[in-house]
Structure formats: C-alpha cells, structure tokens
Amino acid sequence: MNVLLIALLALPLLGAALTLAPLGERAALRLGVGVTGAVLAGTIALAAWFDHSAPGRMQAVTDASWIPAIGVRFHLGVDGISLPLLVLTALLTFLCAVYSTRKLPAGPGARAFTGLVLLLEVGMLATFVVLDLVLFFLAFEIVLIPMYFLIARWGSGAKVPAANRFILYTLLGSAVMLLGFLLIGSQAGTFDLTQLATAHGSGLTHATQVTAALAIMLGLAVKAPAFPLHSWLPDAHTAAPTVGSVLLAGVLLKMGTYGLVRVLLPVVPDGTATLAPYLGALAAVGIVYGSLACLALARPGAKGDLKRLIAYSSVGHMGFVLLGIASLTPSGVNGALFANIGHGLITGLLFFLVGAVKDRYGTADLDTLAGATGAALYGRAPRIGGLLAFAAVASLGLPGLAGFWGELLAMYGAFDPAAGLSRPAFLTYLVLAGLGTLLTAGYLLVVVKRVCMGDPRQTGPELTDLQAYEAVSWTPLAALTVVAGLWPALLLGLSDPAVKHLLGGG
C-alpha cells in the first residue's frame, strides 16, 4: 500500500508536468479527468485495502531520510483520520475536472487551468498524508500558488484584490505556524509527527508548549477559517470560479482544522489545553457571526451575493468544527472530523449549484435573482431547484443528512468538555452554538424561498434544467450526503480509535 500512497502524489504531479506540453484544449481537459479519475480510483483502492480493524495505526507507511542535516524525513502514512479526507479530496477534484470539460471558466486556457488544478491536488493530498512537520508545512504551502492563480486569472469581479488578500493572509499565517514547528523541532530534537505524538508533550516545558501551540493555532486558524481571521474568505469565494470555490470550501478549509487535530492535540497537549477555552470562544462567536452575516445578506434589498452568503456560512459551520476540537474530548473531536467531511460534501454541492444558477441568470445577486416574486427555480428548473433545497436543508443540519452528526457531536463535546476545562464557559459556547443553528435555519430557508419559489411566468431568460455533465458532477455529493447522514458509523468507526490514540498519546 505504501507504493499506492506515493503514486497518489506522483500521478497529479506528473499530470501537471504533462500540461506543459503543447496539448490542445480538449486534450488538456481530458488529461485532467483521466489523472484525477486515476487518483480517485487509487484512493478507493487504498480505502478497500485499509485495515479497518486498526484505524488508529498508521498504514501504507513510507519512512526514509530526506534532509539528514536537520532530521527531516520523507514520512507518509494514513490512518482513520486522514483516510476520509484523502477520499474527499480526490472525489471533489475529479468532479471539478469533469465539470470543467463543459464549463471551463473564461481565462488563459485549458492547459494552464488543468495544470494548476492538478498541482493543487498534489498539495491537498500531501497535507493529509505527510508525517513530518517540515513536510506538512511544504504541502500546506503548495496549494497557495495554484489557488491564487485560479482566483486571479479565472475568477470574476474584483478577482485580483481577492486573490492578493487570500495569499497575503495565508502566507502570513503559514509563517507564524512555521515558527511554532521550528520551536517544537528544536526543543524535541525531531520533526517526526509519530515520534512527537508518542512523546505526547514530554520533554517540552509548559511555556514551550503554550508558545508553540499559540503560533500553530494562529497559523492554522487563518486557513480554517476562524473568526476574526476569516475576512479573506468571502472575497475569495465571491471572485473564484465555481471549481475554485468548490475546492476552497471542500478541501482547503479542512487543511487548517486537520492540522489542529493532527499536530496540536498529540504534540503539545498541555499548551493546547491552556488555549482551548479561547479557541472555543472564537468558535462560538464565529458560529453566531457567520449566521448573522448570512441573514443580513439574505434579506431583501441587501444586494447580497449568493456565493458570498455561502462563504459566510462556512465561517459558521467551521465554527462547529473548531468548537468540537476545543472540547478536547473524543466525542467533540470525532464530531469535528465528521463535520469536516459533511461540510465538504454539502458546501461543495452548494457552490456547484450556485455556479449553475449564476451561469443561467448571469448573476448571483439575490435581489436581482429573486426580483419581485422570487427566482422560481421550482417552476423554471425544477431539478436544480430541488437539489438546491436539498443542499440547503442538509446544510442546516436536518437529521438523516451529513450536516447533522458532526454538529451534534461537537455540541455534545462542549456540553461535557475534557477535565480541566471550564464547564460553565463551554456551556455558554454550547448555548451560542445552539442559537447559531436556529439562525442557520433562518437564513437558509429565506434563501430557498427567494431563489426556489416564486411565479415561474415572470419575465426573464429561458432556463435549461439539469444537464448531463452537471448530474454526473453533483450526484455523488448528494448521494454521499445521504449515506453519511444515515450511516454515521462509516466515518465514526474510522476516526474514533485514531482520535483516542491522539488524545491519549498511546
């Protein structure tokens, strides 16, 4: 299996290199579909061969010396925490490649677009499988340049300022995170994550742990994104092309929260426990803030952009992820990891749908879409309208769909946080999170009313309903949203032993 894991990183890197050859537009797009499809097949094979009886153990391990002078190793592996994220990344990238064969955004051309998407996939996959802090930093950084150009060259509106803001925020966060990594490596004598996790903070003083945890937490919180370090996100989503928004919301945001679980919890546990109440407070405020921002954008007359609204909704939804992690309990962290996957599926589908609505109406402005009576998608494009309503109710956490279990477990973790944490404080965060769920239902139902309902006889452009390439791109996300909601043990059975291993340091 270790050869397969290496191949998953090598394939998109090779594909990106092939786009430098003088390929035609269609050939470049087909290359993207072929390579991302092969990567998806490889991740499915890896999941099939994975030893599900021992998800807490690293599998498909490759461990070789890379830079002996500073002790950096080429160390890869996958466990029950990283495996679902690996499959999600491969799936979303493949669906984006399929979608782009028919809906390539206006820009420099297909070869450059495909090469950047494949390079982006290398960084995203590598982030979830590397087991060395220096390698984690490098993988974390690889995604920045491709995403910058996808926004700046293939985006719309104020795309260059949005791309500049994206890269400046994330580069600054990464620099702070690197300082924390270097502090840990210099004090512990190794950058190897498995060794550091086994030590579980022994050999690091409390002051060192707090300092390192603060630096790493700040760096990862930018990518998460945590309130108030989120302000780059709405602009980036509003300007990004559809596939850029799907990958940004579906995968890149997960890299920050994955890092919190993979690095902070096992490596600097005392420092993390000291800072957890503050992380929980920011998470709770972010949940309410994101929901209130969405309500403001959804009201008539606000000129709210639908893509911007969903971007702000991500601030709220990722707040639940951060709250679960801050609880430092198995239930809370499992809920955070489940919410990561649920958010990737649901928000990826939402951005695909909003992209389709924008293509058909020529705008994502809610007031322009809704007009006096509503955009009437139910009557004018019923399949797209039905899918949008389905994604909205999944996003608001309807039981039986993927959005429910993660938020429930994260709130349960806040109800009974780990020993040493203030229960009254976390109960306050729980109340705020509960208020956030009500506000979330409010703005999503307003969006459904304004976009899906209305008089289909109103004047406006003729609308085509769901196309074949759209059905192929979106159906897996809708199906997996139902599967994850009805069969939560599929993910929780993988993550729970791995989470207990990280929290216990055993």
Side-chain angles (χ1 to χ4, degrees), residues 91-141:
L91 174 65
L92 286 176
T93 311
F94 172 68
L95 297 180
C96 285
V98 171
Y99 185 81
S100 299
T101 60
R102 293 291 302 275
K103 243 353 175 188
L104 181 70
R111 279 200 302 138
F113 179 85
T114 301
L116 289 171
V117 169
L118 291 175
L119 187 59
L120 183 65
E121 184 175 33
V122 175
M124 295 186 299
L125 292 171
T127 301
F128 299 130
V129 300
V130 295
L131 297 174
D132 183 279
L133 288 176
V134 175
L135 281 182
F136 182 88
F137 171 77
L138 293 176
F140 205 78
E141 293 301 283

Side-chain angles (χ1 to χ4, degrees), residues 166-183:
F166 159 76
I167 201 162
L168 287 174
Y169 265 74
T170 49
L171 277 176
L172 179 60
S174 298
V176 176
M177 178 183 71
L178 179 61
L179 294 177
F181 288 172
L182 294 175
L183 177 60

Side-chain angles (χ1 to χ4, degrees), residues 88 92 246 249-250 254 310 313-314 317 338-354 387-398 400-407 444 474 476-482 484-485:
L88 175 67
L92 286 176
V246 170
K254 314 303 177 284
I310 297 173
S313 79
S314 292
H317 287 303
F338 196 104
N340 258 345
I341 302 299
H343 179 266
L345 295 171
I346 296 166
T347 308
L349 178 58
L350 276 171
F351 274 117
F352 269 134
L353 288 162
V354 172
L387 272 173
L388 182 61
F390 166 81
V393 297
S395 186
L396 65 83
L398 187 73
L401 299 175
F404 173 73
W405 295 104
E407 295 183 4
L444 285 171
W474 306 344
L477 299 178
L480 288 173
T481 297
V482 176

Side-chain angles (χ1 to χ4, degrees), residues 12-33 35 100-101 104-120 146 149-150 153-154:
L13 188 61
L14 177 61
L18 288 176
T19 60
L20 298 175
L23 300 172
E25 298 283 291
R26 301 306 303 172
L29 293 173
R30 287 195 293 268
L31 173 67
V33 173
V35 172
S100 299
T101 60
L104 181 70
R111 279 200 302 138
F113 179 85
T114 301
L116 289 171
V117 169
L118 291 175
L119 187 59
L120 183 65
F149 282 110
L150 286 175
R153 303 300 298 276
W154 283 271

Side-chain angles (χ1 to χ4, degrees), residues 38 76 141 154-155 186 201 222 251 309 405 408 410 446 459 467 506:
L76 310 176
E141 293 301 283
W154 283 271
S186 64
V222 173
V251 183
L309 185 148
W405 295 104
L408 176 69
V446 169
T459 59
Q467 301 294 292

Side-chain angles (χ1 to χ4, degrees), residues 220 224 253-261 318 321-322 325 340:
L220 294 171
L253 303 189
K254 314 303 177 284
M255 292 166 59
T257 51
Y258 170 80
L260 292 174
V261 174
M318 296 309 289
V321 177
L322 296 171
I325 295 171
N340 258 345

